[in-house]
Amino acid sequence: MTRPYVKKLSFTLLDSITDKDPVVQEQVCSALCSLGESQPGETLCACEAYLRQHDKLAHPYRTKILRAMETILSSHIDELDKDTAVIAILLASNEMTRIKELDCDWQQAASSVLVAVGKRFINQVMEEVLSRFQPGILPHSSVLHTLASLSVSNAFGMVPFLPSILSTMLPMLGMAKQDALRVVFCGALQHFSESTLEYLANLDQAPDPTVRKDTFAADIFGAYDILFHHWLQSRDAKLRLAVVAALGPMSHLLPSEKLEEQLPKLLPAVLGLYKKHAETFQISKSLGQILEAAVSVGSRTLEVQLDALLVALHAQICVPVESSSPLVMSSQKEVLRCFTVLACCSPDRLLAFLLPRLDTNNERLRVGTLQILRHIINSAAAQMEVKKPFILSSMRLPLLDTNNKVKRAVVQVISAMAHHGYLEQPGGEVMVDYIVQQCALPPEEPEKPGPDGEDLAADSVRAVSIRTLYLVSTTVDRMNSVLWPYLLEFLTPVRFTAALTPLCRSLVHLALKRQEAGADAFLVQYNSNANLPSPFAMTTRLLVVSSNPYLGDGRGAASLRLLKVMHRNIHPLLGQRWETTMPVLLEYLDEHTEETLSLKEWEEKLLMFLRDTLAVVSDNTWICQLSQEMCKQLPSYNGTAQEKNFLYKCIGTTLGAASSKEVVRKHLRELLETARYQEEAEQEGLACCFGICAITHLEDTLAQLEDFVRSDVFRKSIGIFNIFKDRSEHEVERMKSSLILCYGHVAAQAPRELVLAKVESDILRSMFQCFNTKVLGIKVETKDPALKLCLVQSLCMVCQAMCSSAQASSFQFSRKAELVTQMMEFIRAEPLDCLRTPIRKKAMLACTYLVNLEPVLEEQAQTDVIHSCLHSVMALPPEPDGEDGTCREPLYLDTVCALENLLTSLLQRNMTPQGLQIMVEVPEIVSVLRAKLRDTQEEHVLPAAQHSVYLLASQHCEAVVSSLLGSPLPFDSHTCALWRALAVEPSLTTQVLELLLEKMSRDVPFKESRAFLLGSTADRVATLLPLAATCALYEVLSAPSSGTVVLELYPQLFVALLLRVSCTVGVQLPRNLQGKERRSTSPAKPARNLDPCSSAVDALQALLLRGGSQDVLRCVEQEGGWELLRTSARHEDGVAQLASSMAKYAGPRLPLVMKALVCTQSSVYEIQRVTTTAFLAELLSSNVVNDLMLLEPLLDNLTARLKDSSASVRRLVLRGLANIASGSPDKVRAHGPQLMTAMVSGLDDGDEPHSLVALEAMVGLARLLDLVEPWDLRLVLLHTTIRIRPFFDSEKVEFRTASIRLFGHLNKACHGNCEDVFLEQVVGGLVPLLLHLRDPQASVASACKFALCMCVSHLECAELAAAFHKYLQEGRSVHFGEFLNSTCKHLMHHFPDLLGRLVSTNLFYFKSSWDDVRAAAPMFTGFLVLHAEPEQKPQVDLEQLIAALQLLLKDPVPGVREKAAETLGRLVKFA
C-alpha cells in the first residue's frame, strides 16, 4: 500500500504546485521534501511519474518539482537504490535537453538533479551525460554546465574523466560560433582547471595518486591558445570576462616554459581589460592567479612587466568607488592580493613606486596608496621589516592632510603599523600624536565635500581613531611601552579635551597592566620627562572635566576611573580612601542619565570628594601646590563657563583646607585681579570660591576683599572721569556686582556664630560701598538692573544667614529699616506692565527675612511694605511676558509666592487685631483688589444689587427664586453673582436649595419631538425650568458660604443631581437656546456652557467640592469619569467610577445616599433605574458596604431587580452581585446559593443568542467560582459548562473571551470529586482552546492561555503541564507552531487513543470563518500525525482527511493553503 499511498499524497500536493501564491508553492515543495524524508524512493518516483504524465506542465512548475527532487536526493543519496537513481538520471537528462533554447532555471534545476545523483552514482551519471557529449557534435549547453558542476561537487570522481572530456572538447572549441555557447565552454574549462588543481593539491586522498599536472598540460594549452588568441578579442563583454576567469586557473596547469613564453602577451592583455570593463572582479582575481603561477615558476618576465602592473593595479585601487557592494569590495581585495604577491617578490620596487605617491595632493591617489601600504604592512610583514624607517618617514605629508578620507586612511595605516612594531621606531610618537589629534576632533563637524561630493564626516574619522586608540592600547602588548606614560601628556592641553574619554579609557587599561607588572613599572618618573603633567595638574584636570560627566561620551566616569587607578602617582595616602569613595561616585553616574542628573547635586558630591581627599592628605605643602595648579588652569576654561565655575569652587575648597594664610591671601588677591568680571558665570564662580573659602578663613577672606576695594586696581576702575580707561562703564558695574556677590556668598557660607559680628561692620558696609558711587562727594545710585539684582540677591543671603544664627533672636539689627526702605525703592522702580527681572521677587524675599529680625518694623513701615508689594505684583498681567516676548509665567508664579510669604511673615510677627487691620483695611489696597475682581464698569451697581437681593430673599425667598429662575438662559455673570448672594446666611441657603431641588424635579426632564420624516428617531429636548434650576444650583453650590448647608442636604442633593445627569444624557437644548451664547452682546458675558447634561455634571461637581468630597471629584476626573457620565455609550461606566470614588473617599455618607437612591429604583425612566442600579452595583466592589452594614440590604435590593423589564438593569444587577467577590470575598460562601442561582438564571436570560445579560453572567461566574462552597459549584458545574460551550465560537469577541475565561475558572475551581464529571468537558474543549490561541482578537487568545493552564491539571500529564506553563505565560508572545508541536508530541505520547477524536474536531474548524484559526486547524492535525505512532492509523479516516485538505488547498487565503500543503506532507507517516 505504501507506494500507491505516497503517490496519492504526492499527486495531491503536486496538483497544487501551480498555486498563484509563491509562498504556497514553496510550502508544497517543502511538503514534498517531507514526504521524501520518510519515503525518498517512492516520492522521487511519484515526482518522475507526475512530470512524465503532465507533459504540458509549464516550465516554472517543472523547475520547482525538480528542485524538490534535488533536495531529496541531496539528503538521501546514500539510501538511494540504483534503479531509482537511473530513473532520476534519465528524467533529469531528458528535462535538461528537452529544448534547445536556454531556460536557465528549468535546465539548471535538471542539471542540479544530475549533480546530486553524481555525488554517489558518478559513473551512471557520466554514462548518460557523455552520451549527449559526442565528438564532432556541439553539445547542449546544459551538458557542459552539468560537467562543470560535477567537477566542482565531486572532484575526485570527475578528474579521472577529464582527459577524455578535454580531448573531446578541444575540437568543439573551434566549432563553437555563438558567444553564449563559448561562455559556457569557458566556464567548464575554469571549473575543470579548479577541480584539477584541487585534486593535485590533495593527491594523498585521491583515488588515483598517479595523476600528474602534465596529464592535462597539452589539452589545457590547446584550449588556452583558442581562448586567448581568438575568444579574448571578442566584442562580447560577457565572453571576455568568461575567458579571463578561465585563464586564471588554467595558467597553473600550463607547462612552465609555455607560461613563461605567454606572460609577455598575457599580462598586458589582461591589464588591457581594465579599460574595457566597469566590473573588474574577475579580471583582478584572474590576474592574481596568473601572478601566483608566474612567481611559482620563478618567472623573469615579471621584472619587465612590473611597472605596468603597478600602474594598472594602483589605478584600480584609486578609482572612485560608486558603491560598497560585496562585488566591489571583493574586487578591491583581489587587487590588494595582487600587491601582496608583488610585495613578496619585489618589495624594493614596490615601495619605490608607492612611497613617492604619498606626497601627491590628489585625494584619491593618496587614499589609494595608503590603503595599499596598510595592506602590505599586514600581509608582507617579513619583507617590510627592514623598510620600517622609510615607510615611517614617508608619512610626513599625509599626516598634514586635512581631508577626512585621507585622515581615515592614515589612521588605518597607523593601526597596522602599531601591530607590526613600527611605532617603536624613532618617529613613532608622531603617529600616536596624530591618532590623539583625530580623537580630539569635534563629535559633529560640518561636512566639507570635495568636488565629487564624497567626503566623509569628521565623526567618521574621530570614531575610527577612538576605536584604533583603544584597540592598540588593549590588544597590542608591544605598544605598552610606547603609550605609557606618553599618553598622559595629552590630558591637560585644552585642544585635546574632546579626546579625554578615549584617552582615559586607554590609560586606565595601560595603568592596570603596569600595576600587574609591579610598582616600579607603574610609578611615573615625572623628573625624567618634563612634558608629563604633574600629579596636581592631572588631579585638577580630571576633577574639573568630571563636573559635566556625560559630555564627550561619558568623560566623567572615564576621568574618575583614571584618577582612581593613578592614586599612587598622585599621593601615597589616597589609595585606601579612594577605594571606598570613588565607586560611590561612579555608581551615582551609572544610576543617572544626562536628563536625570542634577548638576548641582553632582558638583556637591565632587566637592565633598575633594574635601575628603584633602583631609586624608592633610599636607599643607601638597594642598598649596594643588591650589596653585588650580589657579594656573583657570584660563584654560575661559570657553566653558560651567567647568570654570566648578574650578572656582574647587579652588575655594582647596584654599579652605590650606593652613597657610599667606598662600590663601595671595591666591585670593590674584583671583580678584585676574577675574573676567564681564562674564556672568565667572561672577558666580568667583563668589562661590570666596564663600567656600570663608568657611575656614573668614577674616582673611573679608580682609582680602576689603584690600581689593581700596586698591588702585579698583579705584582706577570707578574714577569719575575714568582717566586710565582700564575698563568700560559696563565692566565697572560687572566688577561691583561680582564683589557684592562675593560678600553675599561669604555671609551665606561663613560660620553662623561669626556672621552677626561681621554683618554691619564689614559685610553690609562694603556691599553698599560697592553699590553706591560718589561723584564729587555726592552719592549717585546705579541704574544698572544687574547690579541691583546682585545686591538684592546678596542681601537675601546675608539676611538668611542672620536669621539662621542661634543668636538671631537677641540681635538688634540697626540697619533693618534702612534696608527695607531700600528694597521698597527697588520694587517701586519696577514697571507695572511687564516682568523684566527677578528684582521684585528677590527684594520681597529679602524683606521676608528682614521682617523676622529685631527690631519690629513700625506700623507705617509695615503698611508701606504691604501697599508697595501688593500694588507692584497685583498690577501685573496674569500671564506676563518679558519685553523680548519670552514667557515669564514661572517668574510670575514665584513672584506671587514671594508676596504671599512676605504677607504671612508680617502677619506672624503681629498676630493681633491691630496687625490684621494693617493687613486688610488700607483703602488703596481694597481699591486695587476690587479693580482686579469686578466684571463690569459700574462699580457701585453689583454690590448694591447683591445686598438688595439678599434682603428681599430673607423675607420672600420663593418669589425671589422664581423671579431669578425666569432670567434668560444662559445666566449672565451678573445673575450668577446674585444667585451666589443667596448663599450668605445658612437658613436662607437651606430654603433656596430645597426650592431649587423641588423645581428641578417638578417638571419632566425632557420632551420628545420627531423630525418631519415618519419613522425617524425622536429627539429629546430639555425642558426649561429643570434646566434653569440646575444652573442655579451650580451657582449657589459654588459659593463658599453654602458649605454648612450643603453638608446637611448632601444625600438629597447628591441623588437628585446624579439622576438629573442620567436623564439629560443625549438631551438637546431647545432650538431657541442653541448658539445663544455665541450671539450674546451683553457686556456681562455668560459664565458657563448651557448643555443640559454638562450643566448637571457641573452642579454635581460643585456639590462634591462644597460638601468636602474633593478627593471624590479629583479621583473621578483622573479616571475620565466626568466625560463618561456625559456619553450615552459609557454613562454607566462613569456612574461606576463615581460610586467607586464615593466608597473610597466618602464612605460615611453612603448610608443616607443609598437610602435616597433605593427610593428611586421604581422610576418610570429606564435610564434613571439603570443609573441607580449601576451606582449600587459598584458599591459592592468596596468593603466599605460591609463595614457600614449595608451588604445585606444591598444584596436583597439588587436581587429583587432581577425581574426588571430592562435588560440593562438585570445585567447591572448581575455585575453588582459578582462585585461581592472584590468587595467582600469572605461573604461569598454565606450567600453562595443565592449568587449562583442568580448567575445561572442569567445564562438562560431571554431567547436572544447573544444576550448581554448572559455575557455578564459568565463574567460574574468567573469572579465568584473560587469563593463559593464546592457543593454549590457542583450543583451548577455541568449545566454551566454545557451552556457556555457554544459561545467558544461566537462571532462576538466579548462572548468568546468571557466563555473561555469562565471555562478556565471552572477548571480552576473544580476539585475533589468533580474531576470525573469534568474530564470529558476538558477533552472536548482542548481543540477549540488551542485553535483560538490564533484568534484575531488578543483578548480571546489571552483567555485561551488562561483556560489551557487551568485545565491541563485534569489531564494528569506533567510534561504537558510543563509545556503549557512554559509557553502560555501571560504577557509572553507565543510561538504558536513551536508550542503546538510540543503539545501534540505530549498528547500523542500520553493519550494516543485521542488521535481520532482530536483530528475529527479539527476537521470542524477547517471551515472556520477566521483565517488564522482555519490555518491552525490543519497545522494542528499535521502535528498530531507527526507525533502519532503508525499503529494509531485506524483511528483516522484518511480518505476524509485528505479530501478535506484537498478542499483547503483551494482556500482563498494563501496561509491556509500553505498549512494544508504542510499537513499533507506529514501524512506520509501513515504510509
Side-chain angles (χ1 to χ4, degrees):
M1 150 138 192
T2 299
R3 185 177 289 273
Y5 178 67
V6 173
K7 184 176 181 180
K8 180 176 182 179
L9 288 176
S10 301
F11 271 47
T12 303
L13 285 168
L14 288 165
D15 282 340
S16 294
I17 198 73
T18 56
D19 193 287
K20 60 187 177 183
D21 189 280
V23 176
V24 178
Q25 293 176 17
E26 289 303 318
Q27 185 55 62
V28 168
C29 293
S30 178
L32 279 172
C33 294
S34 296
L35 293 179
E37 282 293 313
S38 177
Q39 302 289 338
E42 287 77 3
T43 307
L44 288 168
C45 289
C47 290
E48 185 271 341
Y50 190 88
L51 285 171
R52 185 163 30 81
Q53 293 172 23
H54 295 78
D55 198 49
K56 303 294 185 185
L57 188 67
H59 298 169
Y61 307 122
R62 303 185 83 84
T63 301
K64 289 187 178 296
I65 297 172
L66 289 167
R67 294 279 185 213
M69 292 179 70
E70 181 206 348
T71 301
I72 297 169
L73 285 164
S74 298
S75 303
H76 299 279
I77 190 65
D78 294 333
E79 305 164 32
L80 208 64
D81 61 81
K82 186 175 179 180
D83 292 339
T84 307
V86 169
I87 290 173
I89 291 168
L90 291 174
L91 168 73
S93 177
N94 181 51
E95 293 283 320
M96 184 176 73
T97 58
R98 193 167 173 182
I99 59 172
K100 290 186 177 181
E101 298 79 19
L102 284 177
D103 185 313
C104 293
D105 287 344
W106 178 28
Q107 292 165 348
Q108 182 61 50
S111 175
S112 297
V113 170
L114 288 170
V115 172
V117 179
K119 288 181 181 176
R120 180 178 169 205
F121 299 98
I122 187 67
N123 292 331
Q124 288 78 6
V125 171
M126 288 304 296
E127 181 182 349
E128 172 60 27
V129 174
L130 290 176
S131 72
R132 300 177 184 271
F133 189 72
Q134 296 298 319
I137 304 172
L138 281 175
H140 194 288
S141 59
S142 294
V143 172
L144 290 171
H145 272 303
T146 304
L147 290 171
S149 300
L150 283 166
S151 72
V152 172
S153 68
N154 188 356
F156 286 159
M158 267 294 290
V159 168
F161 288 96
L162 283 182
S164 65
I165 292 173
L166 287 171
S167 64
T168 302
M169 182 189 284
L170 201 56
M172 294 177 179
L173 298 179
M175 299 166 58
K177 304 302 180 184
Q178 294 181 339
D179 287 343
L181 186 57
R182 289 177 173 183
V183 168
V184 178
F185 272 117
C186 290
L189 285 166
Q190 177 190 349
H191 292 308
F192 291 164
S193 300
E194 288 169 349
S195 59
T196 301
L197 292 172
E198 181 187 349
Y199 191 99
L200 293 172
N202 298 280
L203 277 176
D204 56 330
Q205 304 170 34
D208 182 4
T210 64
V211 174
R212 291 290 177 262
K213 174 179 170 181
D214 52 15
T215 307
F216 310 92
D219 288 330
I220 290 292
F221 181 70
Y224 167 86
D225 187 54
I226 294 174
L227 266 62
F228 179 71
H229 290 102
H230 300 283
W231 293 4
L232 189 60
Q233 318 307 320
S234 171
R235 293 181 180 180
D236 186 277
K238 191 174 182 181
L239 176 56
R240 290 198 301 268
L241 287 178
V243 169
V244 81
L247 291 178
M250 287 170 70
S251 65
H252 285 270
L253 295 175
L254 292 176
S256 301
E257 67 282 0
K258 293 292 184 183
L259 178 60
E260 184 71 9
E261 174 190 309
Q262 292 296 318
L263 280 175
K265 294 179 288 184
L266 177 58
L267 289 173
V270 174
L271 293 177
L273 291 176
Y274 277 128
K275 296 177 182 177
K276 298 180 181 180
H277 293 269
E279 177 51 66
T280 60
F281 168 70
Q282 286 294 355
I283 302 169
S284 301
K285 181 180 179 183
S286 184
L287 181 58
Q289 291 169 328
I290 293 168
L291 291 174
E292 287 172 346
V295 171
S296 70
V297 299
S299 171
R300 294 186 296 278
T301 307
L302 275 183
E303 286 295 321
V304 180
Q305 300 284 338
L306 193 57
D307 289 340
L309 281 166
L310 290 172
V311 169
L313 290 170
H314 186 263
Q316 285 303 305
I317 291 294
C318 297
V319 73
V321 177
E322 297 299 328
S323 70
S324 57
S325 68
L327 197 60
V328 171
M329 295 296 101
S330 297
S331 181
Q332 292 257 316
K333 288 178 182 175
E334 292 300 329
V335 176
L336 291 172
R337 194 160 68 89
C338 294
F339 275 107
T340 301
V341 176
L342 297 177
C344 292
C345 66
S346 301
D348 292 332
R349 287 188 61 184
L350 175 61
L351 289 179
F353 173 83
L354 286 177
L355 298 186
R357 281 163 174 75
L358 290 176
D359 296 343
T360 179
N361 288 325
N362 183 291
E363 172 216 297
R364 288 177 185 163
L365 292 179
R366 183 171 272 172
V367 170
T369 307
L370 287 167
Q371 284 180 310
I372 299 166
L373 188 60
R374 178 188 61 164
H375 181 76
I376 62 173
I377 286 173
N378 285 323
S379 64
Q383 288 78 9
M384 296 297 117
E385 182 66 32
V386 296
K387 313 295 183 184
K388 289 178 180 178
F390 303 107
I391 295 174
L392 275 172
S393 64
S394 70
M395 293 293 290
R396 181 175 54 83
L397 287 177
L399 291 177
L400 302 176
D401 200 317
T402 58
N403 180 283
N404 284 325
K405 278 189 176 180
V406 175
K407 284 184 175 183
R408 182 169 182 164
V410 168
V411 171
Q412 291 168 339
V413 170
I414 294 173
S415 176
M417 288 178 166
H419 284 79
H420 294 282
Y422 285 69
L423 303 192
E424 299 156 41
Q425 303 283 327
E429 287 184 346
V430 176
M431 303 297 170
V432 177
D433 193 7
Y434 183 84
I435 292 286
V436 178
Q437 286 177 32
Q438 307 319 305
C439 292
L441 287 171
E444 293 180 4
E445 183 178 285
E447 291 190 15
K448 299 175 183 175
D452 56 3
E454 293 180 22
D455 214 343
L456 298 175
D459 193 41
S460 301
V461 178
R462 181 172 185 266
V464 75
S465 302
I466 289 172
R467 288 195 298 271
T468 300
L469 179 62
Y470 188 74
L471 192 69
V472 167
S473 306
T474 56
T475 63
V476 186
D477 290 337
R478 64 194 307 167
M479 285 297 294
N480 290 354
S481 57
V482 176
L483 298 177
W484 181 269
Y486 180 61
L487 285 184
L488 291 171
E489 294 183 16
F490 299 96
L491 288 179
T492 52
V494 176
R495 67 181 184 278
F496 296 117
T497 298
L500 276 175
T501 301
L503 276 171
C504 290
R505 287 174 181 163
S506 293
L507 281 165
V508 165
H509 192 86
L510 293 166
L512 291 173
K513 280 186 180 178
R514 289 282 167 162
Q515 281 184 2
E516 291 171 7
D520 293 339
F522 175 60
L523 288 175
V524 178
Q525 303 301 319
Y526 295 101
N527 298 332
S528 61
N529 194 332
N531 294 327
L532 288 175
S534 68
F536 311 104
M538 196 188 315
T539 303
T540 301
R541 176 68 164 157
L542 295 177
L543 194 60
V544 172
V545 296
S546 299
S547 65
N548 207 336
Y550 299 110
L551 276 184
D553 305 321
R555 71 187 187 201
S559 298
L560 291 174
R561 287 191 176 96
L562 178 57
L563 201 58
K564 177 175 178 285
V565 83
M566 292 293 292
H567 64 86
R568 287 166 62 188
N569 283 289
I570 292 169
H571 196 282
L573 296 178
L574 291 174
Q576 188 174 353
R577 186 62 173 172
W578 281 6
E579 281 296 328
T580 56
T581 55
M582 197 71 82
V584 176
L585 293 174
L586 293 170
E587 184 179 347
Y588 187 80
L589 288 181
D590 287 340
E591 291 169 355
H592 289 81
T593 63
E594 190 169 5
E595 290 73 27
T596 63
L597 183 80
S598 164
L599 275 179
K600 185 178 179 183
E601 289 181 17
W602 174 243
E603 283 189 359
E604 189 48 50
K605 286 183 180 295
L606 287 178
L607 292 173
M608 182 69 73
F609 168 74
L610 176 58
R611 281 192 288 273
D612 184 69
T613 297
L614 296 169
V616 170
V617 172
S618 193
D619 179 346
N620 184 61
T621 303
W622 192 92
I623 292 171
C624 290
Q625 285 179 283
L626 180 61
S627 65
Q628 183 176 354
E629 179 59 39
M630 287 180 170
C631 293
K632 180 181 173 184
Q633 285 192 23
L634 268 175
S636 301
Y637 297 96
N638 285 340
T640 51
Q642 184 265 332
E643 289 172 359
K644 189 168 187 180
N645 195 322
F646 178 71
L647 179 52
Y648 268 118
K649 294 175 184 177
C650 291
I651 293 171
T653 303
T654 308
L655 290 176
S659 58
S660 171
K661 293 183 178 294
E662 290 181 6
V663 171
V664 172
R665 288 196 174 207
K666 173 178 174 290
H667 286 318
L668 291 178
R669 182 173 64 253
E670 289 172 355
L671 291 175
L672 289 169
E673 290 173 354
T674 58
R676 296 155 64 96
Y677 293 102
Q678 67 275 20
E679 295 179 9
E680 187 176 341
E682 185 139 348
Q683 294 179 29
E684 187 68 28
L686 182 68
C688 288
C689 172
F690 273 75
I692 295 170
C693 185
I695 297 173
T696 50
H697 300 295
L698 177 60
E699 294 287 350
D700 294 307
T701 306
L702 288 174
Q704 200 55 54
L705 283 169
E706 181 76 15
D707 289 348
F708 182 73
V709 171
R710 293 175 180 173
S711 68
D712 289 342
V713 176
F714 187 72
R715 290 177 183 279
K716 281 193 290 185
S717 300
I718 63 173
I720 179 173
F721 298 113
N722 204 4
I723 297 169
F724 297 102
K725 302 293 182 187
D726 290 328
R727 292 173 173 83
S728 69
E729 183 178 347
H730 179 73
E731 289 178 338
V732 170
E733 300 298 333
R734 296 278 76 78
M735 180 183 285
K736 291 179 181 179
S737 299
S738 301
L739 291 170
I740 290 171
L741 271 182
C742 285
Y743 280 110
H745 278 271
V746 167
Q749 296 280 1
R752 293 289 175 261
E753 63 275 11
L754 303 178
V755 168
L756 292 180
K758 297 290 182 182
V759 165
E760 293 190 279
S761 61
D762 292 312
I763 296 174
L764 287 175
R765 176 181 57 78
S766 299
M767 283 170 58
F768 278 96
Q769 184 180 343
C770 293
F771 182 71
N772 297 316
T773 303
K774 286 189 177 182
V775 178
L776 301 178
I778 302 171
K779 184 175 81 171
V780 179
E781 187 173 310
T782 183
K783 294 182 180 179
D784 180 14
L787 185 55
K788 279 186 183 180
L789 190 58
C790 285
L791 178 66
V792 175
Q793 186 175 334
S794 295
L795 277 175
C796 284
M797 289 190 275
V798 172
C799 296
Q800 188 176 6
M802 294 168 67
C803 289
S804 59
S805 172
Q807 296 85 30
S809 58
S810 60
F811 178 71
Q812 293 292 314
F813 186 29
S814 61
R815 300 190 65 172
K816 173 178 175 176
E818 174 195 343
L819 292 179
V820 170
T821 302
Q822 180 75 66
M823 294 301 102
M824 290 306 104
E825 288 178 9
F826 286 173
I827 290 173
R828 284 192 286 267
E830 288 294 291
L832 298 178
D833 58 345
C834 66
L835 198 56
R836 291 177 182 167
T837 67
I839 288 178
R840 265 189 197 85
K841 180 190 80 170
K842 296 280 188 183
M844 286 190 286
L845 186 58
C847 289
T848 303
Y849 291 124
L850 285 167
V851 163
N852 291 318
L853 295 170
E854 298 296 337
V856 177
L857 281 178
E858 296 179 359
E859 264 186 37
Q860 185 56 45
Q862 290 185 47
T863 302
D864 183 47
V865 168
I866 295 167
H867 178 269
S868 298
C869 293
L870 279 170
H871 182 77
S872 180
V873 175
M874 301 306 281
L876 288 170
E879 296 181 0
D881 291 338
E883 288 185 329
D884 56 355
T886 55
C887 178
R888 298 284 185 171
E889 186 178 1
L891 177 58
Y892 174 74
L893 295 175
D894 288 347
T895 304
V896 172
C897 183
L899 172 62
E900 181 185 340
N901 292 336
L902 173 58
L903 295 176
T904 303
S905 295
L906 283 165
L907 188 58
Q908 287 174 342
R909 287 285 286 171
N910 192 6
M911 293 290 285
T912 63
Q914 184 183 9
L916 189 60
Q917 185 177 13
I918 293 170
M919 293 292 291
V920 298
E921 291 190 3
V922 180
E924 292 87 351
I925 297 173
V926 175
S927 174
V928 170
L929 292 174
R930 220 171 36 205
K932 298 293 288 184
L933 294 172
R934 67 174 175 263
D935 293 324
T936 67
Q937 299 297 322
E938 297 79 11
E939 299 177 15
H940 61 287
V941 174
L942 190 56
Q946 287 178 302
H947 189 59
S948 299
V949 168
Y950 163 69
L951 292 174
L952 284 170
S954 300
Q955 303 300 318
H956 307 286
C957 181
E958 187 170 356
V960 171
V961 167
S962 297
S963 175
L964 286 173
L965 284 174
S967 302
L969 289 173
F971 295 148
D972 61 25
S973 55
H974 291 157
T975 307
C976 294
L978 295 178
W979 277 115
R980 290 194 292 273
L982 301 182
V984 173
E985 197 271 320
S987 61
L988 175 60
T989 307
T990 302
Q991 293 180 64
V992 171
L993 289 175
E994 289 175 343
L995 277 169
L996 289 174
L997 286 176
E998 189 266 333
K999 303 275 186 191
M1000 189 173 70
S1001 58
R1002 177 194 297 174
D1003 201 355
V1004 293
F1006 54 80
K1007 293 180 180 177
E1008 294 187 345
S1009 67
R1010 291 189 180 273
F1012 295 112
L1013 296 175
L1014 293 176
S1016 61
T1017 306
D1019 291 330
R1020 292 181 171 182
V1021 179
T1023 50
L1024 287 179
L1025 183 60
L1027 178 60
T1030 305
C1031 295
L1033 273 169
Y1034 171 81
E1035 299 301 337
V1036 176
L1037 293 172
S1038 297
S1041 53
S1042 66
T1044 307
V1045 178
V1046 169
L1047 292 175
E1048 295 173 2
L1049 298 177
Y1050 191 98
Q1052 301 95 303
L1053 287 166
F1054 181 86
V1055 171
L1057 287 171
L1058 177 60
L1059 295 181
R1060 173 67 186 169
V1061 170
S1062 73
C1063 64
T1064 54
V1065 173
V1067 174
Q1068 301 176 3
L1069 277 173
R1071 284 181 177 273
N1072 64 319
L1073 291 181
Q1074 290 179 8
K1076 189 173 179 181
E1077 290 174 275
R1078 294 192 295 275
R1079 298 194 300 272
S1080 175
T1081 57
S1082 168
K1085 295 181 180 178
R1088 292 170 40 255
N1089 183 6
L1090 196 56
D1091 173 71
C1093 190
S1094 295
S1095 300
V1097 170
D1098 291 345
L1100 182 56
Q1101 291 175 333
L1103 164 69
L1104 294 172
L1105 185 64
R1106 197 61 57 221
S1109 301
Q1110 296 93 331
D1111 290 338
V1112 176
L1113 179 66
R1114 187 191 70 253
C1115 184
V1116 178
E1117 177 67 38
Q1118 288 173 348
E1119 298 295 327
W1122 298 118
E1123 282 304 313
L1124 296 179
L1125 275 173
R1126 295 181 174 93
T1127 61
S1128 301
R1130 301 288 303 279
H1131 172 73
E1132 63 188 51
D1133 295 333
V1135 173
Q1137 287 187 10
L1138 177 60
S1140 174
S1141 302
M1142 287 290 290
K1144 187 174 182 180
Y1145 296 110
R1149 300 198 177 281
L1150 287 179
L1152 292 176
V1153 169
M1154 178 181 152
K1155 182 178 178 182
L1157 270 176
V1158 168
C1159 297
T1160 68
Q1161 280 199 294
S1162 301
S1163 170
V1164 294
Y1165 298 107
E1166 179 186 356
I1167 183 62
Q1168 290 190 341
R1169 300 202 307 278
V1170 168
T1171 298
T1172 302
T1173 308
F1175 190 91
L1176 296 175
E1178 184 60 29
L1179 289 182
L1180 284 168
S1181 291
S1182 171
N1183 191 44
V1184 72
V1185 296
N1186 199 26
D1187 297 340
L1188 297 170
M1189 302 185 70
L1190 299 175
L1191 181 63
E1192 305 291 340
L1194 258 179
L1195 269 179
D1196 294 341
N1197 179 270
L1198 285 177
T1199 306
R1201 306 308 305 171
L1202 277 171
K1203 303 298 182 184
D1204 195 287
S1205 60
S1206 167
S1208 295
V1209 171
R1210 300 197 302 276
R1211 173 173 54 81
L1212 289 167
V1213 167
L1214 292 177
R1215 183 179 298 177
L1217 295 177
N1219 282 342
I1220 302 176
S1222 305
S1224 307
D1226 54 322
K1227 301 293 183 181
V1228 172
R1229 289 203 170 197
H1231 300 279
Q1234 179 185 7
L1235 295 172
M1236 297 305 285
T1237 301
M1239 294 298 163
V1240 173
S1241 69
L1243 285 176
D1244 301 320
D1245 186 272
D1247 300 324
E1248 191 182 342
H1250 290 103
S1251 165
L1252 293 177
V1253 179
L1255 176 63
E1256 196 67 55
M1258 287 190 285
V1259 174
L1261 273 169
R1263 298 173 64 190
L1264 292 168
L1265 285 179
D1266 290 344
L1267 302 171
V1268 298
E1269 288 282 1
W1271 177 252
D1272 294 331
L1273 172 60
R1274 185 174 177 81
L1275 292 174
V1276 300
L1277 181 64
L1278 197 57
H1279 173 78
T1280 303
T1281 309
I1282 295 170
R1283 181 69 182 84
I1284 67 174
R1285 177 63 184 80
F1287 291 125
F1288 284 13
D1289 300 305
S1290 167
E1291 291 297 319
K1292 292 194 174 183
V1293 60
E1294 301 88 351
F1295 285 81
R1296 298 202 301 279
T1297 303
S1299 59
I1300 291 171
R1301 195 163 284 280
L1302 175 56
F1303 186 73
H1305 282 286
L1306 288 167
N1307 275 278
K1308 182 180 178 183
C1310 179
H1311 51 78
N1313 55 3
C1314 294
E1315 284 92 337
D1316 54 339
V1317 181
F1318 210 62
L1319 181 59
E1320 179 64 22
Q1321 301 302 320
V1322 170
V1323 173
L1326 204 54
V1327 171
L1329 291 179
L1330 287 166
L1331 292 179
H1332 276 292
L1333 285 171
R1334 297 291 291 157
D1335 195 280
Q1337 298 296 329
S1339 60
V1340 179
S1342 176
C1344 288
K1345 287 184 180 182
F1346 169 73
L1348 285 166
C1349 288
M1350 293 301 104
C1351 74
V1352 72
S1353 60
H1354 293 291
L1355 298 174
E1356 297 181 350
C1357 174
E1359 292 92 338
L1360 195 60
F1364 277 26
H1365 289 289
K1366 173 186 175 184
Y1367 287 100
L1368 300 179
Q1369 295 173 16
E1370 194 58 45
R1372 172 179 172 171
S1373 60
V1374 181
H1375 188 293
F1376 184 69
E1378 183 181 320
F1379 164 66
L1380 196 58
N1381 183 22
S1382 175
T1383 299
C1384 292
K1385 175 184 173 183
H1386 297 307
L1387 283 172
M1388 290 298 93
H1389 180 69
H1390 295 281
F1391 309 101
D1393 294 340
L1394 288 180
L1395 175 64
R1397 181 174 176 181
L1398 294 174
V1399 169
S1400 62
T1401 309
N1402 269 295
L1403 283 174
F1404 169 76
Y1405 286 94
F1406 278 22
K1407 298 177 182 178
S1408 171
S1409 58
W1410 296 293
D1411 297 347
D1412 286 344
V1413 174
R1414 200 163 66 253
M1419 179 163 60
F1420 194 166
T1421 305
F1423 282 134
L1424 287 170
V1425 171
L1426 176 67
H1427 296 293
E1429 294 300 327
E1431 54 265 27
Q1432 304 301 327
K1433 175 181 173 181
Q1435 293 188 49
V1436 181
D1437 185 340
L1438 286 173
E1439 292 295 329
Q1440 181 190 19
L1441 179 55
I1442 292 173
L1445 289 169
Q1446 279 180 306
L1447 284 175
L1448 283 185
L1449 284 173
K1450 296 178 174 60
D1451 193 278
V1453 178
V1456 177
R1457 302 200 297 274
E1458 179 189 352
K1459 294 303 176 187
E1462 182 180 25
T1463 300
L1464 276 166
R1466 299 195 193 285
L1467 292 182
V1468 72
K1469 184 71 168 283
F1470 291 145

